[in-house]
Amino acid sequence: RIDTDEKNIVTLANKLQAEETTDIPQQFFGKGPYWWPRSKLAHFRAFKNTGFNATERGEDGIYYFILFDKDLQRGYVWVIDNF
């Protein structure tokens, strides 16, 4: 979880080579601790890098999915590390 503004989330997404998406995998919700989002947010931006796959094991590498809650100014980062 990252409490920050939208500009910093976009900067992070760029550094992680993540592109904006409107598709949020259902597996994202309820995945983390109690403060993790449980359902789709009303106002959000989402980013994922190439190769991110929420349903199958992808190729070796590190993959990121970032969901930014515009209302709370909070980002959530799902990291998949396939080795």
Side-chain angles (χ1 to χ4, degrees):
R1 181 175 97 176
I2 304 169
D3 293 328
T4 190
D5 61 22
E6 189 169 350
K7 180 182 173 190
N8 286 327
I9 291 294
V10 171
T11 299
L12 174 64
N14 288 334
K15 288 185 179 194
L16 298 176
Q17 299 178 339
E19 296 182 8
E20 194 155 8
T21 181
T22 56
D23 181 34
I24 303 173
Q26 187 60 40
Q27 295 86 341
F28 180 87
F29 300 108
K31 188 159 194 59
Y34 71 92
W35 43 261
W36 197 263
R38 300 291 183 229
S39 60
K40 189 172 179 180
L41 306 173
H43 305 103
F44 71 91
R45 287 184 77 179
F47 306 85
K48 66 179 178 179
N49 63 345
T50 302
F52 178 90
N53 189 325
T55 59
E56 298 176 5
R57 186 190 187 285
E59 294 184 25
D60 289 354
I62 299 178
Y63 303 98
Y64 303 95
F65 185 88
I66 304 165
L67 182 65
F68 179 69
D69 184 332
K70 290 184 175 185
D71 295 328
L72 294 177
Q73 294 290 289
R74 180 171 292 155
Y76 304 90
V77 182
W78 180 6
V79 179
I80 297 177
D81 186 359
N82 293 336
F83 57 92

